[in-house]
Amino acid sequence: MNDVTVTRTLVIPASELRERFSRSGGPGGQGVNTADSRVELSFDLAASPSVPEHLKARMLDRLSARLVDGVLTIAASEHRAQLQNRGAARERLAAILRAAAAAPPPVRRATKPTKGSQERRIAQKKRRADTKRGRGRAGSWD
């Protein structure tokens, strides 16, 4: 097993990952009942010594819906080969952890429209109202 690189500074050692293998569901050929190609990759985020504390708190908060007792589990069964499923599970784990570790977006500061933009908007409304007011008077039936 190889280490999982999440970011340039965060690498999950292979010793902290647990893999379980089982039979994939769905249609298959002769080997479908004997090949354990489905992979469940588990990572104990809450107890991991390789994740810094400030990142761990952010990741635990963002992944709270996906965690069971602090453990993140990824299942991969899209490939027929176990080795490909192992790679897919590791890539998916890295992507999920990368998204959870990302810095929060900057806080939006509310701004007011400028005086000039307000005046231009009102002037445009008046021009549009004059255009509409000019329609229909010539052909009225009064």
Side-chain angles (χ1 to χ4, degrees), residues 5-140:
T5 303
V6 178
T7 62
R8 284 185 287 128
T9 57
L10 179 59
V11 177
I12 307 299
S15 61
E16 293 186 27
L17 301 174
R18 299 284 168 253
E19 288 181 327
R20 266 186 45 206
F21 305 103
S22 60
R23 295 187 186 125
S24 293
Q30 293 173 337
V32 74
N33 294 327
T34 58
D36 288 341
S37 60
R38 182 174 186 264
V39 177
E40 281 187 19
L41 183 66
S42 298
F43 171 59
D44 193 351
L45 178 60
S48 174
S50 60
V51 180
E53 287 302 320
H54 69 283
L55 276 182
K56 190 183 293 187
R58 183 186 303 162
M59 293 166 94
L60 286 170
D61 182 50
R62 289 185 179 175
L63 294 173
S64 61
R66 290 194 65 144
L67 298 176
V68 177
D69 296 330
V71 177
L72 176 64
T73 303
I74 307 291
S77 61
E78 58 264 21
H79 302 288
R80 290 178 64 177
Q82 185 187 88
L83 191 60
Q84 289 177 314
N85 282 332
R86 289 173 80 180
R90 287 167 180 275
E91 288 173 20
R92 212 176 305 152
L93 175 72
I96 289 170
L97 293 178
R98 194 175 303 119
V107 178
R108 182 189 176 277
R109 286 188 357 218
T111 58
K112 292 197 287 190
T114 62
K115 184 89 167 163
S117 70
Q118 287 178 339
E119 289 172 359
R120 285 190 298 274
R121 185 178 66 84
I122 299 300
Q124 178 60 35
K125 283 172 67 96
K126 288 183 192 279
R127 279 195 299 274
R128 186 73 179 148
D130 290 342
T131 301
K132 289 188 170 193
R133 200 176 304 118
R135 295 180 188 156
R137 284 207 180 136
S140 70

